[in-house]
Amino acid sequence: MENIDGYMGAAWPFIFNAVFAIVILIIGWMIANWVNRKIRQKGKASEKLDDTLTGVFAKTAKVLVLVVVVLAVLDRFGVETTSLIAVIGALGLAIGLAWQGVLADFAAGIMILVMRPFKVGDAVDIDGTASGTIEEVGLVVTRLNTFDNVATFIPNSNIWGNTIQNLVVNENRRVDMVIGFGYDDDIDHAIQTISQVLAQDERVLDDPAPKIAVSELGGSSVDLIVRPWTKKDNYWDLKFDLTKRIKERFDEEGINFPYPSQDIYFHNESGE
């Protein structure tokens, strides 16, 4: 009985420390989430910080709070945190050497946050291989929702090392179209018809003025470049509507759209 009492007496400090550690972890987790949430709220209310930097600051603050909590728990159990930090530093160096690709992504993430080629909510095209709306910029990967709403996670080194097209930075955009018509049709008539279609659409800007010109004499058509300017928010709707309206007007004016054709000749080789 005395042995049991002795064991229980020796175990009570450990049990007390374990319960205390659990309480610290729970409170620390709650504080970390509270800090994360508050930073995001302040970022949304502030005009100086956008969602990109707000998300990074919030996650970093949460991780720092959790690190402090874990160190406090270890200290409660008598672990030498100074030695532990040194071990973690050495381990981090070893991991860094093994994960050079991750470090490259991290460095690219820092460059993206500093140079700011885009921010959360921007529509972008990454080197012609991925395009969509930026949802989150992390230190290692960036999340992009494609225009057909597929979540895509791209390593930051694949972004920073390639051409980035931000589709929403400039207020005005040029719609590039190629319209072909038959060789038997009048060029000036086709240009005038397209000019009328552009003039009737209020989304087409007067400055810069639209450009209509012959670009190529193709194998089966005369090709016109049609380049009206519009506000960035109207880009796709205008392009789709102009394509439809030009086709309708060409039909009304009797201007022909060429289509591929092939002549087939039969030769009688029977000698008759």
Side-chain angles (χ1 to χ4, degrees):
M1 193 68 179
E2 292 180 358
N3 290 336
I4 295 177
D5 291 339
Y7 290 144
M8 289 299 296
W12 273 117
F14 179 82
I15 295 174
F16 176 78
N17 286 334
V19 172
F20 188 75
I22 293 174
V23 172
I24 292 178
L25 288 174
I26 293 174
I27 295 176
W29 181 261
M30 294 173 62
I31 293 175
N33 286 329
W34 178 83
V35 170
N36 187 333
R37 187 169 57 254
K38 283 296 182 181
I39 292 178
R40 291 183 183 275
Q41 291 174 355
K42 292 292 185 182
K44 290 181 179 180
S46 174
E47 297 181 354
K48 297 181 179 180
L49 288 178
D50 56 29
D51 293 340
T52 304
L53 291 178
T54 299
V56 173
F57 290 157
K59 286 185 176 181
T60 302
K62 181 177 179 178
V63 170
L64 290 177
V65 172
L66 292 177
V67 168
V68 172
V69 170
V70 171
L71 291 177
V73 170
L74 294 176
D75 184 67
R76 183 70 187 181
F77 283 97
V79 177
E80 290 292 337
T81 55
T82 304
S83 301
L84 181 63
I85 292 174
V87 172
I88 293 175
L91 182 61
L93 178 60
I95 294 175
L97 293 175
W99 290 0
Q100 294 184 18
V102 176
L103 289 179
D105 292 331
F106 180 82
I110 296 297
M111 293 301 298
I112 290 173
L113 292 173
V114 172
M115 303 304 295
R116 309 291 296 281
F118 51 73
K119 63 181 184 296
V120 172
D122 285 356
V124 301
D125 181 274
I126 308 298
D127 200 37
T129 59
S131 58
T133 303
I134 299 295
E135 291 295 317
E136 183 180 5
V137 180
L139 291 177
V140 177
V141 298
T142 292
R143 177 185 171 184
L144 176 147
N145 276 357
T146 61
F147 293 124
D148 56 347
N149 203 33
V150 176
T152 305
F153 298 86
I154 308 175
N156 286 335
S157 59
N158 290 353
I159 297 176
W160 186 249
N162 289 298
T163 301
I164 303 170
Q165 290 186 340
N166 193 316
L167 307 180
V168 299
V169 169
N170 296 330
E171 185 63 26
N172 298 334
R173 290 189 62 189
R174 190 182 71 189
V175 180
D176 288 355
M177 306 174 64
V178 177
I179 305 296
F181 59 92
Y183 275 94
D184 294 334
D185 296 304
D186 183 76
I187 293 178
D188 292 332
H189 185 199
I191 292 177
Q192 182 181 14
T193 301
I194 296 175
S195 298
Q196 292 173 355
V197 172
L198 298 182
Q200 292 169 358
D201 197 311
E202 296 180 352
R203 294 169 296 183
V204 176
L205 301 178
D206 295 328
D207 186 22
K211 179 70 173 179
I212 305 174
V214 177
S215 64
E216 185 178 1
L217 300 177
S220 59
S221 67
V222 178
D223 295 334
L224 297 177
I225 55 169
V226 181
R227 294 177 175 176
W229 289 79
T230 188
K231 298 294 184 183
K232 61 185 179 184
D233 295 335
N234 298 328
Y235 179 87
W236 288 110
D237 289 338
L238 179 64
K239 186 170 186 176
F240 298 149
D241 291 345
L242 286 180
T243 302
K244 177 176 180 293
R245 186 57 183 150
I246 290 173
K247 171 61 168 66
E248 294 172 345
R249 284 297 307 276
F250 272 27
D251 290 344
E252 294 172 3
E253 299 293 329
I255 302 173
N256 298 308
F257 277 98
Y259 50 86
S261 61
Q262 188 174 28
D263 295 330
I264 300 177
Y265 299 92
F266 294 92
H267 298 278
N268 188 346
E269 298 180 356
S270 62
E272 298 179 1

